[in-house]
């Protein structure tokens, strides 16, 4: 049997490299595009990406406590840089896979105007956002509101989600009339999927550079290294752009 497999591999009928799994920690804002990328990655390489999604700060704590992730797709560039400096991420493997965009969104049409004036009017009961201590999009939302001088007047109306997915859930279910979410959650193929939104100008908050890094558990693992390479390829980049990210 070994001789047969060797012969088949030699003539290209079977791959000499066995397919494997890679455990990936993915920032919640990148959930939808990562699901598409993971499916294409498996088709094209045979490797399977086992994806966990959540808040960047929470993943940092888990990785430091020995979670078995092999690749980390963060919602910022600071956390991967910190992991690299602390020896939990491999030097030279870090790169920016997407630049995120903040959006003020309501599940209902006509609630959010295209200039964000609804924030100054304040005629709503609840405003959702992700925990700014663990989620970069939440921190960006606070930065924007302070810059526009509305944070103090809106503070009592803010409801926090553990991550950007929960903030989105608050708005999509009507538990909050509007909220700050990632554009990727409400945008696809060049259009808003539903509701009303203000895409916050990039000049209003610190750029959300989202970095990927190979973690210690992924060192020398073909599937982990293949995924990072795949994220830089044309297919993955097309998916990333379709969800409104810059690259």
């Amino acid at each position: 049997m070994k001789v047969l497999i060797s012969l088949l591999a030699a003539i290209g009928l079977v791959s000499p490299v066995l397919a494997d799994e890679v455990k990936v920690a993915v920032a919640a804002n990148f959930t939808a595009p990562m699901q598409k990328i993971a499916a294409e990655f498996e088709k094209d390489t045979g490797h399977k990406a086992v994806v966990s999604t959540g808040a960047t700060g929470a993943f940092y704590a888990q990785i430091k406590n020995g979670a078995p992730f092999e690749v980390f797709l963060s919602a910022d560039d600071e956390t991967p840089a910190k992991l690299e400096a602390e020896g939990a991420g491999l030097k030279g493997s870090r790169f920016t896979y997407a630049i995120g965009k903040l959006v003020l969104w309501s599940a209902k049409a006509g609630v959010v105007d295209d200039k964000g004036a609804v924030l100054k009017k304040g005629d709503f009961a609840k405003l959702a956002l992700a925990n700014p201590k663990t989620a970069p999009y939440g921190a960006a939302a606070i930065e924007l509101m302070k810059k526009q001088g509305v944070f103090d007047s809106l503070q009592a109306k803010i409801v926090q989600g553990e991550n950007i997915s929960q903030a989105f859930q608050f708005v999509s279910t009507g538990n909050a009339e509007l909220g700050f979410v990632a554009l990727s959650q409400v945008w696809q193929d060049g259009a808003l999927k539903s509701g009303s939104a203000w895409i916050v100008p990039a000049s209003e908050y610190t750029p959300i550079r989202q970095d990927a890094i190979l973690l210690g558990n992924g060192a020398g693992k073909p599937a982990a290294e293949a995924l990072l390479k795949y994220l830089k390829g044309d297919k993955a980049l097309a998916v990333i752009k379709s969800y409104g990210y810059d690259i």
Side-chain angles (χ1 to χ4, degrees):
M1 181 61 72
K2 289 183 179 178
V3 173
L4 178 59
I5 291 174
S6 297
L7 287 171
L8 290 172
I11 61 175
L13 294 180
V14 299
S15 172
V17 178
L18 296 177
D20 203 352
E21 289 187 348
V22 50
K23 297 180 179 66
V24 194
V26 178
N29 74 87
F30 202 66
T31 299
M34 188 59 199
Q35 288 172 343
K36 283 196 172 185
I37 291 170
E40 292 300 315
F41 173 67
E42 186 169 2
K43 285 181 187 176
D44 292 342
T45 69
H47 297 305
K48 182 177 181 179
V50 179
V51 176
S52 299
T53 59
T56 289
F59 275 136
Y60 170 79
Q62 291 172 30
I63 291 165
K64 292 294 288 181
N65 285 318
F69 299 118
E70 297 161 330
V71 169
F72 180 32
L73 273 58
S74 178
D76 66 3
D77 56 357
E78 295 176 1
T79 305
K82 190 175 180 181
L83 289 168
E84 182 178 356
E86 293 169 347
L90 270 68
K91 289 186 178 180
S93 68
R94 180 166 52 92
F95 66 95
T96 300
Y97 67 91
I99 299 174
K101 295 180 184 177
L102 183 69
V103 61
L104 180 65
W105 176 69
S106 173
K108 295 181 179 179
V111 174
V112 177
D113 60 285
D114 63 2
K115 300 294 183 183
V118 64
L119 289 176
K120 292 184 178 179
K121 292 178 182 176
D123 52 353
F124 51 86
K126 292 181 180 179
L127 172 69
L129 53 85
N131 183 349
K133 294 181 179 178
T134 58
Y137 282 83
I142 297 293
E143 181 183 357
L144 162 73
M145 288 188 285
K146 287 183 175 180
K147 188 172 183 178
Q148 295 215 335
V150 297
F151 178 71
D152 289 342
S153 62
L154 296 178
Q155 193 169 5
K157 300 183 178 185
I158 292 174
V159 290
Q160 287 187 14
E162 290 182 15
N163 52 49
I164 200 73
S165 292
Q166 192 171 54
F168 173 82
Q169 185 179 19
F170 288 157
V171 183
S172 64
T173 57
N175 287 314
E177 294 99 314
L178 65 163
F180 286 101
V181 299
L183 180 62
S184 59
Q185 295 173 296
V186 299
W187 189 267
Q188 191 169 1
D189 298 326
L192 188 68
K193 291 191 283 187
S194 63
S196 53
W198 172 46
I199 301 175
V200 182
S203 59
E204 294 298 303
Y205 55 93
T206 303
I208 304 174
R209 301 183 66 86
Q210 302 193 193
D211 278 12
I213 191 168
L214 181 65
L215 300 172
N217 290 326
K221 302 284 184 67
E225 294 174 354
L227 178 61
L228 289 174
K229 182 179 179 181
Y230 196 84
L231 283 167
K232 299 176 183 178
D234 290 343
K235 278 191 177 180
L237 294 177
V239 172
I240 293 168
K241 287 179 180 179
S242 75
Y243 280 89
Y245 292 97
D246 285 335
I247 55 174

